[in-house]
Amino acid sequence: MQEQPFVIQHLRSIIIHSLDTFNYTNAEFAGERLLAQDPEDLDSIYLYCLVLFHQKKYKTCYNRLINLEDHLGCSYLFGKSCLHLKKYKEGVYQLMKVNYLYNDSTLKPHQTSGFDVHHFSSSFNRFNYESNRNVLPDASGVYHLLGDLYNKTGDIKNSSLNYSYCLKFNQFDFEAFQNDKERLRSSLKRNNSNSNIHSNGESSGLVSEPGTIKSVFTSKEIESSESFLLQLYVVLARSYKCFSKYDCYKAIRILESLPEAEKNSPWVLSKLGRLHYEIVNYKQSEAFFVKLRMMDRTRLEDMEYYSTLLWHLHKKIELTYLANELFDLDSKNAITWCVIGNLFSLNREPDEAIKCFTKAVKFDENFSYAYTLKGHEYFGNDNYEMALENFRISLVIDPRHYNALYGIGMVYINLGDYQKADYHFRRAVSINPINIILICCVGMVLEKMGKKNLALRQYELANKLQPLNPLPIFKKAQLLFTMQQFQQSLQLFEVLKDLAPDEASVHFLLGQLYNIQDNKHQAIKEFTIALNLDPKGNYLIREAMESLQEKS
Amino acid sequence: MQEQPFVIQHLRSIIIHSLDTFNYTNAEFAGERLLAQDPEDLDSIYLYCLVLFHQKKYKTCYNRLINLEDHLGCSYLFGKSCLHLKKYKEGVYQLMKVNYLYNDSTLKPHQTSGFDVHHFSSSFNRFNYESNRNVLPDASGVYHLLGDLYNKTGDIKNSSLNYSYCLKFNQFDFEAFQNDKERLRSSLKRNNSNSNIHSNGESSGLVSEPGTIKSVFTSKEIESSESFLLQLYVVLARSYKCFSKYDCYKAIRILESLPEAEKNSPWVLSKLGRLHYEIVNYKQSEAFFVKLRMMDRTRLEDMEYYSTLLWHLHKKIELTYLANELFDLDSKNAITWCVIGNLFSLNREPDEAIKCFTKAVKFDENFSYAYTLKGHEYFGNDNYEMALENFRISLVIDPRHYNALYGIGMVYINLGDYQKADYHFRRAVSINPINIILICCVGMVLEKMGKKNLALRQYELANKLQPLNPLPIFKKAQLLFTMQQFQQSLQLFEVLKDLAPDEASVHFLLGQLYNIQDNKHQAIKEFTIALNLDPKGNYLIREAMESLQEKS
């Protein structure tokens, strides 16, 4: 075996080619032959485990890679396996142990034996990566993994730090940006304020390779393509940042400024759908989700939100189609069961809905939204104890899940504990400050506590945020009515009559206001409309009409 | 957007780098940006779908790739998606439609726009693949996929043909070789008979690129490393071929000739374990499986056979450990449930065992071995109808599954239909001609049909194949006893006494033979041993002893 290095290289190529064509059995077979050449060779062990990892054999990888000599690839795959096996701290420990292999301040050229872990950081190398790939991870990949591992341990600070390192080495790792819970990324802020991104990148500590081919060949075209892409990524990152802070109007404005083709991409459409949903622009939200579904009927992501939107819009047929299609697509998916649960909820079968949400959580134990929806079902069933429990689990998983805080507030209103209701609604508003439902909730609690003027201000704020939405106007008109400011109340109800002509309560209250003004003819007209809209015969309406006739 | 080609190349590199680090969210995000540049570009659609395919979004891939213009990558991924979605014929149709893109006889250079689909076929390019990868599939990958698709449609002839084309372009695709049901691979035969494989490869129609760098740089070292590897692959292929034909002794001899490191590789160990199992060398088989498990306790492959081996060896503790470990590893795997079923069977809980085998089949509907084991449980329960049904399903899935034929034969023996039993045992022997259990079964049926001399020949054949195995000797000795050839029978039982000293029936029959010879002292001794070994008091033994005493 005089030619062993050549045999090894030949096998490596066979393995990598098999990976590239998804031929994993063959890759594993060649991997065994590679290991038979030298069972202790770390590069061979790494490549063999890479094949195992592609086949999702995480436990096998973990067992093969534990307690090895230091090797960047092996440590990276070990960490990746730990991420899947929920051994987060063990993964962090191993990667920190080999920190000197990817930390640029300690890195000496001879330690990397020809392989440059910062390869992907330079514009030229990144541009040419397709023709110069490497099976070993680069520094950005390692820091990204550290970010993921810390994230799972709940160490948001170190998670954020490592994502920011990752972005330093690869500004195009949008996942690192999205996963970062702190999201105050200095490098992106800097890029944001400066359109000359490339030179900026250079100054932010990106490693350049002295004396390599790079400096000669980095062409103007590569620079300008990088600059173009960075600007695009920065715009998308800014919109995502606004979205994360529920600064929805700004996020929408940013996305609307994109070129048409970008606006029609699934990522942008899904964000626009969700943003309009958050600001209770249901019609607009629906339009974006419909467009997204037309592009890809097999999409699962975000469909939990779309199904809740359809629930709000009372669209049974659409929701039934969606639930059936997702069930056919993947009946073992958390989102699928969330959508089915919403369908049962819309059909007024809360017990079945609860079963579905429970099933959703079985498929994804960290699915906070399913817990929240389950909480709302229990609330609808007057089971406040279970409702609170589910809202609280949801908040443990995601402390920024304002919908769960809203649910808790609603429970406390019904229990008559207005202090606690107020606290939770205000916490919800602090997360999503422009959601008019939440603002109106704060107002409702203030009313209950007798603070009518403060409540009025909340309704006025909500009305200012969405002048055409009937909810704040109704709340304000109702409050003014109880404050006996009949003239102002009447004006608002006349506005509401146009915005929500099918709402019985609007006509009823209008009737009462006309009655107070002794305008009996108008009063009877409005009471009659109210009765027609609510034909089951609302006792209150009939009583009001009768008292009217008695008076006459 | 004057620099669009550069922006596109930049995005391609970002996507490929993300794929290389398993960062699929990021790859998909960049893929959307790539498509936004030009939604109709087939290379971009291919790369985007490659990202979806890595995420196992097969339906989405299928929808995106249907009815596109001809593009080798897109057609390949479409075919791959069809394979997963069980739309085999549609996959074949699409790949045959673009045949001109990879068939070397019709291929013209300008059609491939710089990309050579036969790239991987030349020694030099294959050797250097690691540093010169391509995201597009090469001809070997396409033919391999066609082999898989035809295989699933049941068209073994075309499947075999395409696997052989695949091997023409990539002699190191061992999966293509293993999957090929016909397995009469001309190229491997040729390689087998000729050690100068490289020049042989050249002559077998592999495309060489005229005037490229290859001819200059193909070094002696690359050639000899290729030659070394081909010889190794040929040896492994030969052993696999023998294994497939149940030519077990030859397969074992070939594997035993391998270098030590190769012999210790999982593939070889698992084959040796299974080969020794097939020839009823249970102890040796166990040793290989134990070694395999010591190397990798997370291994699932072949554990169904190991569990049946442990069943035969009555090793409850080992089987319990194995079942528990596999359940922890993957509770949704067919093999896991097969092993658990065997454990229940060993604990004499056939109804529970049947439930487990049914569950195994739910996770893998083509798992013929689970049907066979289920059949054996029903047989043990005297439910011959269900036993036959399960054995027959097993044979539909895999017509070479001799174990199911054995099961059918056993059912017919018990039903007294010796003609049908004979037919099925003989079919089983025609598949696995050196399994002594099957040969003894043929003998048993011959005995039942009164053909004692023919039966004797079967037992003698089995005895010749495995001289130290007590089963054929016992059968032969028993038959000779009934043929009143007492002296010959006695000789054999004396041999058996040493081979199986704990077998009560051996001592009982020996006692009877000594009695016939009027050697009462020896007869009483043997009867006593038999009674001690079978303390529950075998009625027959007691009766024989009493008649002995009466006579004296």
Side-chain angles (χ1 to χ4, degrees):
Chain A
M1 217 165 299
Q2 326 94 295
E3 316 292 8
Q4 205 192 38
F6 286 87
V7 170
I8 286 176
Q9 183 51 52
H10 218 124
L11 281 167
R12 289 181 65 88
S13 283
I14 290 167
I15 294 164
I16 293 164
H17 175 262
S18 297
L19 285 179
D20 284 352
T21 48
F22 302 98
N23 190 340
Y24 297 136
T25 307
N26 197 44
E28 192 172 327
F29 183 84
E32 288 188 17
R33 314 285 75 78
L34 178 64
L35 277 181
Q37 287 294 309
D38 179 358
E40 306 299 323
D41 185 287
L42 292 170
D43 284 321
S44 298
I45 293 172
Y46 168 68
L47 205 54
Y48 181 63
C49 287
L50 192 66
V51 174
L52 299 175
F53 194 87
H54 269 283
Q55 296 175 84
K56 304 196 183 297
K57 295 180 177 176
Y58 306 126
K59 281 192 193 169
T60 319
C61 267
Y62 174 88
N63 289 343
R64 288 286 308 192
L65 293 169
I66 200 166
N67 296 328
L68 290 182
E69 297 284 304
D70 292 356
H71 180 274
L72 186 63
C74 289
S75 294
Y76 176 75
L77 273 187
F78 182 78
K80 275 289 219 186
S81 303
C82 285
L83 190 66
H84 284 275
L85 300 171
K86 303 190 181 173
K87 296 171 186 281
Y88 309 122
K89 285 184 183 166
E90 214 175 322
V92 168
Y93 178 82
Q94 178 60 30
L95 287 172
M96 293 312 289
K97 199 172 135 259
V98 298
N99 178 277
Y100 68 94
L101 292 175
Y102 54 90
N103 182 336
D104 58 1
S105 67
T106 59
L107 209 63
K108 290 178 191 89
H110 71 271
Q111 286 172 322
T112 54
S113 60
F115 164 65
D116 174 18
V117 289
H118 303 127
H119 182 84
F120 199 69
S121 312
S122 91
S123 318
F124 176 81
N125 289 336
R126 183 170 51 240
F127 180 83
N128 287 295
Y129 185 77
E130 179 170 1
S131 56
N132 194 17
R133 293 163 73 174
N134 202 309
V135 290
L136 284 166
D138 69 315
S140 75
V142 179
Y143 283 119
H144 184 116
L145 173 57
L146 270 169
D148 289 346
L149 287 164
Y150 273 120
N151 199 356
K152 289 288 186 180
T153 65
D155 184 344
I156 303 304
K157 201 176 141 234
N158 268 311
S159 166
S160 185
L161 190 68
N162 280 288
Y163 284 135
S164 76
Y165 288 149
C166 164
L167 286 163
K168 195 176 125 196
F169 292 113
N170 176 12
Q171 288 159 302
F172 294 99
D173 190 340
F174 206 79
E175 192 182 339
F177 172 76
Q178 281 187 116
N179 287 357
D180 181 0
K181 297 282 188 292
E182 296 214 335
R183 227 170 265 130
L184 299 161
R185 184 96 347 73
S186 61
S187 71
L188 274 160
K189 255 204 240 155
R190 195 164 48 236
N191 293 334
N192 195 356
S193 60
N194 188 337
S195 66
N196 188 358
I197 295 147
H198 180 69
S199 61
N200 209 9
E202 292 273 332
S203 72
S204 75
L206 294 189
V207 176
S208 62
E209 304 155 75
T212 64
I213 204 165
K214 175 208 162 192
S215 47
V216 186
F217 279 107
T218 304
S219 69
K220 213 179 131 288
E221 286 84 359
I222 292 177
E223 271 186 50
S224 79
S225 74
E226 185 190 36
S227 167
F228 168 83
L229 279 175
L230 267 180
Q231 280 179 59
L232 174 62
Y233 268 63
V234 163
V235 170
L236 295 165
R238 273 173 53 212
S239 78
Y240 189 78
K241 214 160 162 176
C242 292
F243 170 65
S244 304
K245 292 188 294 186
Y246 294 102
D247 191 352
C248 299
Y249 292 105
K250 194 172 170 190
I252 291 169
R253 269 202 311 278
I254 294 170
L255 292 178
E256 293 286 356
S257 75
L258 287 167
E260 208 53 36
E262 281 289 342
K263 270 199 276 188
N264 287 323
S265 69
W267 191 89
V268 175
L269 286 174
S270 75
K271 293 296 162 293
L272 283 170
R274 287 204 51 197
L275 286 161
H276 282 283
Y277 172 80
E278 293 298 341
I279 56 172
V280 205
N281 253 344
Y282 291 155
K283 283 285 150 204
Q284 194 59 44
S285 171
E286 190 192 13
F288 284 113
F289 276 119
V290 166
K291 203 166 179 181
L292 188 60
R293 288 260 299 154
M294 264 168 56
M295 281 182 70
D296 176 11
R297 297 195 79 79
T298 62
R299 186 183 176 94
L300 271 161
E301 293 94 330
D302 308 305
M303 288 304 120
E304 67 273 39
Y305 302 105
Y306 180 42
S307 71
T308 304
L309 173 74
L310 291 173
W311 184 94
H312 280 297
L313 293 170
H314 299 280
K315 297 220 164 180
K316 274 194 200 182
I317 296 168
E318 283 83 352
L319 188 50
T320 308
Y321 266 106
L322 182 67
N324 275 308
E325 280 190 55
L326 296 190
F327 184 82
D328 284 347
L329 185 73
D330 187 355
S331 61
K332 284 168 184 166
N333 188 290
I335 292 172
T336 299
W337 286 100
C338 224
V339 172
I340 298 172
N342 266 332
L343 176 61
F344 276 115
S345 174
L346 186 58
N347 287 329
R348 297 185 197 282
E349 295 186 54
D351 295 333
E352 290 302 311
I354 287 168
K355 275 185 209 163
C356 294
F357 297 133
T358 304
K359 204 156 180 176
V361 172
K362 264 193 197 154
F363 289 117
D364 177 3
E365 59 188 21
N366 287 319
F367 197 13
S368 57
Y369 195 61
Y371 283 106
T372 301
L373 292 174
K374 206 172 146 190
H376 287 310
E377 289 305 312
Y378 277 119
F379 177 79
N381 261 0
D382 297 328
N383 188 340
Y384 297 145
E385 204 177 325
M386 287 300 289
L388 281 181
E389 185 175 313
N390 279 285
F391 291 136
R392 279 176 187 147
I393 296 171
S394 176
L395 283 170
V396 168
I397 298 167
D398 177 8
R400 286 178 56 78
H401 198 72
Y402 74 85
N403 197 327
L405 289 164
Y406 160 78
I408 295 176
M410 291 304 289
V411 170
Y412 282 123
I413 276 197
N414 280 27
L415 293 172
D417 190 339
Y418 304 127
Q419 291 291 344
K420 281 191 181 163
D422 185 58
Y423 170 78
H424 285 96
F425 285 134
R426 282 182 195 273
R427 266 186 62 197
V429 168
S430 75
I431 293 167
N432 185 350
I434 56 159
N435 184 301
I436 58 164
I437 295 173
L438 295 177
I439 296 168
C440 288
C441 284
V442 173
M444 272 160 60
V445 176
L446 289 169
E447 271 195 72
K448 298 268 187 189
M449 296 195 290
K451 300 174 183 174
K452 296 195 172 178
N453 280 316
L454 287 174
L456 208 58
R457 262 190 246 163
Q458 293 291 327
Y459 300 143
E460 277 164 358
L461 170 64
N463 177 231
K464 210 173 149 189
L465 282 165
Q466 274 186 280
L468 294 176
N469 192 298
L471 179 69
I473 306 174
F474 183 78
K475 284 285 166 194
K476 190 179 163 188
Q478 219 180 12
L479 178 56
L480 288 168
F481 184 90
T482 65
M483 291 165 82
Q484 305 198 342
Q485 308 219 7
F486 300 123
Q487 193 52 40
Q488 283 185 55
S489 180
L490 182 64
Q491 279 173 6
L492 289 175
F493 274 115
E494 278 170 345
V495 172
L496 272 172
K497 205 169 72 172
D498 296 333
L499 286 174
D502 298 337
E503 193 62 50
S505 55
V506 170
H507 295 282
F508 174 66
L509 285 160
L510 259 177
Q512 289 198 304
L513 283 162
Y514 287 128
N515 187 25
I516 287 160
Q517 287 189 332
D518 268 339
N519 185 345
K520 274 186 202 164
H521 176 70
Q522 280 289 1
I524 289 172
K525 191 180 154 197
E526 294 299 335
F527 283 137
T528 311
I529 296 171
L531 208 55
N532 282 334
L533 286 171
D534 196 357
K536 277 177 190 160
N538 190 312
Y539 171 74
L540 281 172
I541 305 173
R542 289 189 183 279
E543 199 174 58
M545 282 179 88
E546 276 158 22
S547 78
L548 199 65
Q549 277 152 355
E550 275 162 29
K551 270 200 275 182
S552 63
Chain B
M1 218 165 300
Q2 325 95 295
E3 316 292 8
Q4 206 192 37
F6 286 86
V7 170
I8 286 175
Q9 183 51 53
H10 218 122
L11 280 167
R12 289 181 65 87
S13 282
I14 290 167
I15 293 165
I16 292 163
H17 176 262
S18 297
L19 285 179
D20 284 351
T21 49
F22 302 98
N23 191 339
Y24 297 136
T25 308
N26 198 43
E28 191 171 331
F29 183 84
E32 289 188 16
R33 314 285 76 77
L34 178 64
L35 277 181
Q37 288 294 311
D38 180 359
E40 306 299 324
D41 185 284
L42 291 172
D43 284 321
S44 297
I45 292 172
Y46 168 68
L47 205 54
Y48 182 63
C49 286
L50 191 66
V51 174
L52 298 175
F53 193 86
H54 269 285
Q55 297 174 84
K56 305 197 182 293
K57 296 180 176 177
Y58 306 126
K59 280 192 193 170
T60 318
C61 266
Y62 175 89
N63 289 342
R64 288 287 308 190
L65 292 170
I66 200 166
N67 296 329
L68 289 182
E69 297 283 304
D70 292 355
H71 181 275
L72 185 62
C74 289
S75 294
Y76 176 75
L77 273 188
F78 183 79
K80 277 288 223 186
S81 303
C82 285
L83 190 66
H84 284 275
L85 299 171
K86 302 187 181 174
K87 297 170 185 280
Y88 309 122
K89 286 185 183 166
E90 213 175 324
V92 168
Y93 179 82
Q94 177 61 30
L95 286 173
M96 294 311 290
K97 199 171 136 260
V98 298
N99 177 277
Y100 69 94
L101 291 175
Y102 54 90
N103 182 336
D104 57 0
S105 65
T106 60
L107 208 64
K108 289 176 193 95
H110 71 272
Q111 286 172 321
T112 54
S113 60
F115 163 65
D116 174 19
V117 288
H118 302 128
H119 181 83
F120 198 68
S121 313
S122 90
S123 319
F124 176 81
N125 288 338
R126 184 170 50 239
F127 181 83
N128 287 294
Y129 186 77
E130 179 170 2
S131 56
N132 195 14
R133 293 164 72 175
N134 204 311
V135 290
L136 285 166
D138 69 314
S140 75
V142 179
Y143 283 118
H144 184 117
L145 174 57
L146 271 168
D148 290 344
L149 288 164
Y150 273 120
N151 199 356
K152 289 286 186 182
T153 65
D155 185 344
I156 302 303
K157 199 176 145 233
N158 268 311
S159 167
S160 186
L161 190 68
N162 279 287
Y163 284 135
S164 76
Y165 287 149
C166 164
L167 285 163
K168 194 175 128 199
F169 292 113
N170 176 12
Q171 288 158 300
F172 294 98
D173 191 339
F174 205 81
E175 192 182 337
F177 172 76
Q178 281 188 117
N179 287 357
D180 181 358
K181 297 283 190 287
E182 295 215 336
R183 230 172 261 130
L184 298 163
R185 184 96 347 75
S186 60
S187 70
L188 273 160
K189 258 204 240 153
R190 194 163 51 232
N191 293 332
N192 196 356
S193 60
N194 187 337
S195 67
N196 188 0
I197 294 144
H198 181 70
S199 61
N200 208 10
E202 291 273 332
S203 71
S204 76
L206 294 189
V207 176
S208 61
E209 303 155 76
T212 63
I213 203 167
K214 177 209 161 189
S215 47
V216 185
F217 280 108
T218 304
S219 69
K220 211 180 132 286
E221 286 84 1
I222 293 177
E223 270 186 49
S224 78
S225 75
E226 186 190 35
S227 166
F228 168 83
L229 279 176
L230 267 180
Q231 280 179 56
L232 174 62
Y233 268 63
V234 162
V235 171
L236 294 165
R238 272 175 53 214
S239 78
Y240 189 78
K241 215 161 163 176
C242 292
F243 169 66
S244 304
K245 292 188 294 186
Y246 294 101
D247 192 351
C248 299
Y249 291 104
K250 192 172 174 193
I252 291 170
R253 269 202 310 280
I254 294 169
L255 292 177
E256 293 286 355
S257 75
L258 287 167
E260 208 52 37
E262 280 290 342
K263 269 199 275 186
N264 286 322
S265 69
W267 191 87
V268 175
L269 286 175
S270 76
K271 292 296 164 291
L272 283 170
R274 286 203 52 197
L275 285 162
H276 281 283
Y277 172 80
E278 292 298 343
I279 56 171
V280 205
N281 252 345
Y282 291 154
K283 283 286 150 200
Q284 193 60 43
S285 172
E286 191 191 14
F288 284 114
F289 277 119
V290 165
K291 203 166 179 183
L292 189 61
R293 289 260 300 153
M294 263 168 56
M295 281 181 70
D296 176 10
R297 295 196 80 79
T298 62
R299 186 182 176 96
L300 271 161
E301 293 92 331
D302 308 304
M303 288 304 120
E304 67 274 39
Y305 302 105
Y306 181 41
S307 71
T308 304
L309 173 73
L310 291 173
W311 184 93
H312 281 296
L313 294 170
H314 299 280
K315 296 221 166 180
K316 273 193 197 179
I317 297 168
E318 283 82 353
L319 188 51
T320 307
Y321 267 105
L322 182 68
N324 275 307
E325 280 188 55
L326 296 190
F327 184 82
D328 284 348
L329 185 74
D330 187 355
S331 61
K332 284 168 183 166
N333 187 289
I335 292 172
T336 299
W337 286 99
C338 224
V339 173
I340 298 172
N342 266 332
L343 177 61
F344 276 114
S345 175
L346 185 58
N347 286 328
R348 298 185 196 281
E349 296 186 57
D351 295 334
E352 290 302 310
I354 286 167
K355 276 184 207 162
C356 294
F357 296 134
T358 305
K359 204 156 181 177
V361 172
K362 265 193 195 154
F363 290 116
D364 178 3
E365 60 187 21
N366 288 320
F367 196 12
S368 58
Y369 195 59
Y371 282 107
T372 300
L373 291 175
K374 207 172 144 189
H376 288 308
E377 290 304 312
Y378 276 120
F379 177 78
N381 261 359
D382 296 328
N383 188 339
Y384 297 145
E385 204 178 324
M386 287 302 288
L388 280 181
E389 185 174 315
N390 279 285
F391 291 135
R392 280 174 187 149
I393 297 171
S394 177
L395 283 171
V396 169
I397 298 167
D398 178 7
R400 284 179 56 78
H401 199 70
Y402 74 84
N403 197 327
L405 289 165
Y406 160 77
I408 294 175
M410 290 304 289
V411 170
Y412 281 122
I413 276 198
N414 280 26
L415 292 173
D417 190 339
Y418 303 127
Q419 290 291 343
K420 281 191 181 163
D422 184 60
Y423 170 77
H424 286 95
F425 284 134
R426 283 184 193 272
R427 265 185 64 197
V429 168
S430 75
I431 293 166
N432 186 350
I434 55 158
N435 185 302
I436 58 164
I437 295 173
L438 296 177
I439 296 168
C440 288
C441 284
V442 173
M444 271 160 60
V445 176
L446 288 168
E447 270 194 73
K448 298 266 186 191
M449 295 195 292
K451 300 176 184 171
K452 294 194 175 179
N453 280 318
L454 288 174
L456 206 59
R457 263 191 245 163
Q458 293 291 325
Y459 299 143
E460 276 163 359
L461 169 65
N463 177 231
K464 207 171 151 193
L465 283 167
Q466 275 187 279
L468 293 177
N469 193 300
L471 179 70
I473 306 176
F474 183 78
K475 284 280 164 201
K476 190 179 163 191
Q478 219 180 11
L479 178 56
L480 288 169
F481 184 90
T482 65
M483 291 164 84
Q484 304 197 344
Q485 308 218 8
F486 299 124
Q487 193 52 40
Q488 281 185 57
S489 181
L490 182 65
Q491 277 172 6
L492 290 174
F493 274 115
E494 277 170 348
V495 171
L496 272 172
K497 203 168 72 169
D498 296 333
L499 286 174
D502 297 338
E503 194 63 50
S505 55
V506 170
H507 295 282
F508 174 65
L509 285 161
L510 259 177
Q512 289 198 303
L513 282 163
Y514 286 129
N515 188 24
I516 286 162
Q517 289 191 331
D518 267 339
N519 185 345
K520 272 184 202 168
H521 177 68
Q522 279 287 1
I524 290 175
K525 192 181 152 195
E526 293 300 334
F527 284 136
T528 311
I529 295 172
L531 207 56
N532 281 334
L533 285 171
D534 196 357
K536 276 176 192 161
N538 190 313
Y539 172 73
L540 281 173
I541 305 174
R542 286 187 186 281
E543 201 175 57
M545 282 179 88
E546 276 157 24
S547 76
L548 200 63
Q549 277 151 357
E550 276 161 26
K551 270 199 275 180
S552 62

